[in-house]
Amino acid sequence: MTAPHPSTTPVRMHTASADWHRMHPLSLVIDIAERARSIIGTMVSLLVMTSWLRMPRHAIRLAVAATLLGMAVIRIVAWSRKRYRLDDDGITMEAGILNTVRTTIAYDRIHTINITTPFVLRPFGLVSVAVESGGISNGSSIALTAVPQSVGTQLERLRRQAVAVESAHEDRHDVEYDEHETVRRTVVHEDAGRLAFRASVRDTVLFALTDLEFLAALLVLYGFAQNLEDLLPRKVFYSAQESIIRFSSSSTLSMIITIATGLLMILAISIVKSLMLYYRFEVWRRGDDLIIVRGFFTRRSFTIPVGHVQTVTIHQSVLRRALHLSSVQVGLTTSGADDDELAAMSAGGILPVVADDRLYATLGVILPEWNLHAPLTTRTAHGLGRYLLTMPITLTVIGTLGMATAVMATVASAPWLPWLLPLPAAVGAYACARRWLKLRAEGYALLGGDRIVVTGARGLGFVTMFTTRARIQNVRRRIYPWRLAAGVESMTMPVFVTNGYSELRFTAIRTVDAQYLHDWAMHVTTPDDGKATTLNEAVRIGTLHD
């Protein structure tokens, strides 16, 4: 009897926990608390409506008690019906009340493993584990709340074993050569893991001080002030408000002190929030996985398989660019988490803030397979300023003149309207600044190994995105009638990622460059030598040399 070929013999991994398991009862307590918190607003609205309808108090209490009891019973039944197991091929979870939904994710199809250790679970040695496969449908994830710590460790080990078995049947070469340059693919052997990056407290504080999103803290302060109005007696609240207004308007120094105090409060909120999220931020390289760990009260561990990284994006706000600081995120085919609290982690942020002088050296340790280095790009928007700035400048002038005309015509009936006079100019200045950054930053470079880097601007920030030709989904080109004669168009190349920036974008690019990139992305080659030496490429090279 002939023995089967090794490449066709299925390899099964035997696990030590193939039985069904329920989650710890603490998961039920957490679930009930979260459900109760989510319906508080609805119950308050119902109470207000019942007070208008003059319903008896005992009927209101009975309705509230029945709602809470019904919700608790439903969650208890759901918890008793929810179970999981780690079998030979993947992780399986069953859930459902009236029907049973069974979800299975094979170990080699796991894209991310998110391990969270909330403060309330630490004394019990429990964690929460979220497993994500590729895709954005509801069935692409499994969430386990309050399970032993060994579950997360075992999942990471089984995923690495499955990937190793899968890759053993593929012909892989550690070194790949390209006609333009030699790209060395470094194979990282599985070990206990090595520390690739650790953010200091100084790095975290710099991240908070240079994060333009700290302006969102204004909304936090505003909401806090509104809550004080509801909690404090009305007379006390308005008396304090009048005292603050009287002090700030008494002199120029008082106004400066008030503004400075507000800014310091905003910065303090931003720093505290960043320390809570990024305290002891670490990036570990373990085999072919990136392990990201961070958090103060709640330590979170996020596993990213390097093979699932679709893009590497370096982002700089205007402030961080002036201070020579950058942030780095990786694009994944799965979001990694749905909770708003996990927004930073689900965005694939692997470096919150790092100095530019050690950016690429750090990336070389974290992602040696990508061979990242500072690119020398071709600026595609160079000399196309009139196509980028004419429209926003024209609209700004028209909007400002229109607002000035409206103010002069209605100043008697609407004395508040002059306060809106600077609005069109401010909006126009913002639009022009965005277009000017695109003019200065947009460009690209083709690297070895079918790789491409595209530079540009998003909002008031600079972006450098690395990806490969295989990740590009399609090419979309748009040309306006007034740009046709000049041979100028816009171009986007979408990349299949569900987090961060999902396309390579050129707001203004010459048609010859667009055609060259189109042919490269779509593998358009000549029949004789197959080296992408199309007529458009020849024209482009001649244009650049000229």
Side-chain angles (χ1 to χ4, degrees):
M1 180 174 175
T2 304
H5 194 274
S7 63
T8 61
T9 303
V11 180
R12 301 182 66 85
M13 296 172 297
H14 298 285
T15 65
S17 56
D19 298 330
W20 290 102
H21 301 276
R22 283 196 178 93
M23 285 171 280
H24 195 276
L26 267 178
S27 65
L28 174 61
V29 177
I30 295 173
D31 188 21
I32 292 178
E34 291 179 351
R35 298 284 177 171
R37 184 180 61 180
S38 64
I39 65 174
I40 285 178
T42 303
M43 294 185 65
V44 171
S45 301
L46 292 176
L47 289 175
V48 173
M49 293 179 61
T50 54
S51 64
W52 290 347
L53 299 175
R54 301 183 181 276
M55 291 182 61
R57 289 184 178 271
H58 67 276
I60 297 176
R61 296 193 188 100
L62 182 62
V64 172
T67 302
L68 294 177
L69 180 61
M71 182 268 297
V73 169
I74 292 175
R75 300 324 305 167
I76 291 173
V77 174
W79 172 81
S80 65
R81 296 269 295 167
K82 191 173 184 179
R83 57 182 186 167
Y84 70 95
R85 73 180 182 188
L86 306 180
D87 51 28
D88 292 336
D89 301 317
I91 178 174
T92 302
M93 184 183 71
E94 282 189 354
I97 298 179
L98 299 179
N99 60 344
T100 301
V101 179
R102 175 176 292 189
T103 303
T104 301
I105 298 179
Y107 296 125
D108 59 345
R109 296 296 183 265
I110 294 176
H111 280 224
T112 57
I113 301 175
N114 184 7
I115 303 175
T116 305
T117 310
F119 184 76
V120 69
L121 297 182
R122 287 186 188 178
F124 302 92
L126 303 174
V127 298
S128 295
V129 180
V131 180
E132 291 276 346
S133 64
I136 57 177
S137 62
N138 294 331
S140 63
S141 64
I142 291 178
L144 306 177
T145 305
V147 295
Q149 292 180 354
S150 59
V151 174
T153 305
Q154 190 174 5
L155 271 173
E156 292 178 350
R157 177 178 58 83
L158 292 172
R159 194 206 66 79
R160 288 196 299 271
Q161 291 179 358
V163 172
V165 171
E166 182 71 19
S167 61
H169 303 305
E170 299 176 359
D171 294 328
R172 301 196 317 176
H173 302 279
D174 294 345
V175 181
E176 297 178 359
Y177 297 97
D178 184 80
E179 62 176 348
H180 299 293
E181 64 171 332
T182 301
V183 182
R184 178 167 297 277
R185 304 293 187 183
T186 304
V187 177
V188 182
H189 299 284
E190 181 176 350
D191 51 20
R194 66 175 183 270
L195 181 64
F197 175 80
R198 174 179 289 153
S200 63
V201 176
R202 176 180 175 275
D203 294 333
T204 307
V205 173
L206 282 177
F207 171 81
L209 295 178
T210 58
D211 186 12
L212 296 180
E213 293 182 0
F214 78 90
L215 296 175
L218 287 172
L219 299 178
V220 177
L221 291 177
Y222 178 76
F224 179 72
Q226 295 298 316
N227 292 332
L228 285 179
E229 183 179 1
D230 297 332
L231 296 175
L232 297 177
R234 186 177 298 272
K235 185 176 180 180
V236 175
F237 177 81
Y238 284 112
S239 176
Q241 186 181 41
E242 291 176 1
S243 299
I244 295 175
I245 295 175
R246 191 182 309 113
F247 172 77
S248 60
S249 60
S250 60
S251 63
T252 304
L253 179 61
S254 300
M255 183 179 298
I256 295 175
I257 292 175
T258 303
I259 296 175
T261 302
L263 291 177
L264 288 176
M265 291 178 64
I266 294 173
L267 291 177
I269 293 175
S270 179
I271 292 173
V272 171
K273 179 182 177 182
S274 297
L275 288 175
M276 293 298 101
L277 290 176
Y278 295 102
Y279 178 73
R280 291 173 56 198
F281 184 95
E282 297 174 346
V283 181
W284 291 77
R285 184 63 189 260
R286 183 183 301 163
D288 290 330
D289 293 337
L290 291 180
I291 313 295
I292 300 176
V293 185
R294 56 89 167 158
F296 189 78
F297 291 112
T298 301
R299 294 295 289 172
R300 304 187 186 278
S301 174
F302 193 61
T303 301
I304 301 176
V306 174
H308 295 162
V309 174
Q310 306 293 305
T311 61
V312 179
T313 304
I314 302 170
H315 183 268
Q316 288 181 307
S317 63
V318 175
L319 179 58
R320 286 181 180 170
R321 189 180 183 92
L323 298 176
H324 303 287
L325 300 173
S326 299
S327 298
V328 182
Q329 67 176 7
V330 293
L332 306 171
T333 54
T334 178
S335 61
D338 296 326
D339 196 340
D340 290 339
E341 188 180 2
L342 300 177
M345 183 163 293
S346 65
I350 60 173
L351 291 177
V353 62
V354 61
D356 288 346
D357 56 359
R358 61 190 183 106
L359 169 63
Y360 287 100
T362 304
L363 288 176
V365 177
I366 296 177
L367 295 170
E369 300 86 353
W370 283 71
N371 191 27
L372 301 173
H373 56 272
L376 181 62
T377 60
T378 300
R379 286 180 52 190
T380 55
H382 182 68
L384 303 180
R386 61 185 180 275
Y387 300 101
L388 289 171
L389 298 174
T390 301
M391 183 65 70
I393 291 176
T394 302
L395 293 178
T396 301
V397 172
I398 294 175
T400 303
L401 293 177
M403 180 61 70
T405 303
V407 167
M408 289 186 295
T410 61
V411 64
S413 58
W416 51 267
L417 196 59
W419 290 97
L420 300 180
L421 185 59
L423 184 60
V427 174
Y430 174 74
C432 292
R434 292 185 56 176
R435 289 296 186 95
W436 184 80
L437 291 181
K438 293 178 182 295
L439 174 65
R440 298 283 299 174
E442 284 191 354
Y444 75 95
L446 298 184
L447 310 176
D450 288 341
R451 296 176 301 146
I452 185 173
V453 56
V454 174
T455 60
R458 305 290 177 92
L460 294 180
F462 298 91
V463 174
T464 301
M465 181 183 292
F466 295 85
T467 189
T468 60
R469 175 159 48 188
R471 269 74 173 184
I472 297 175
Q473 302 300 299
N474 56 70
V475 178
R476 293 200 297 262
R477 299 165 63 179
R478 176 181 298 175
I479 185 166
Y480 297 97
W482 53 88
R483 292 183 177 183
L484 186 60
V488 178
E489 56 187 273
S490 60
M491 180 179 184
T492 57
M493 293 184 286
V495 182
F496 180 50
V497 296
T498 59
N499 65 303
Y501 302 118
S502 59
E503 63 182 11
L504 309 177
R505 181 187 302 173
F506 299 92
T507 308
I509 182 173
R510 293 178 175 86
T511 299
V512 62
D513 285 328
Q515 187 63 44
Y516 173 67
L517 286 175
H518 174 276
D519 294 346
W520 174 84
M522 296 293 102
H523 296 271
V524 177
T525 59
T526 55
D528 51 352
D529 57 6
K531 293 185 179 180
T533 55
T534 61
L535 176 61
N536 289 294
E537 179 181 359
V539 174
R540 173 189 171 276
I541 294 175
T543 303
L544 292 180
H545 288 171
D546 291 338

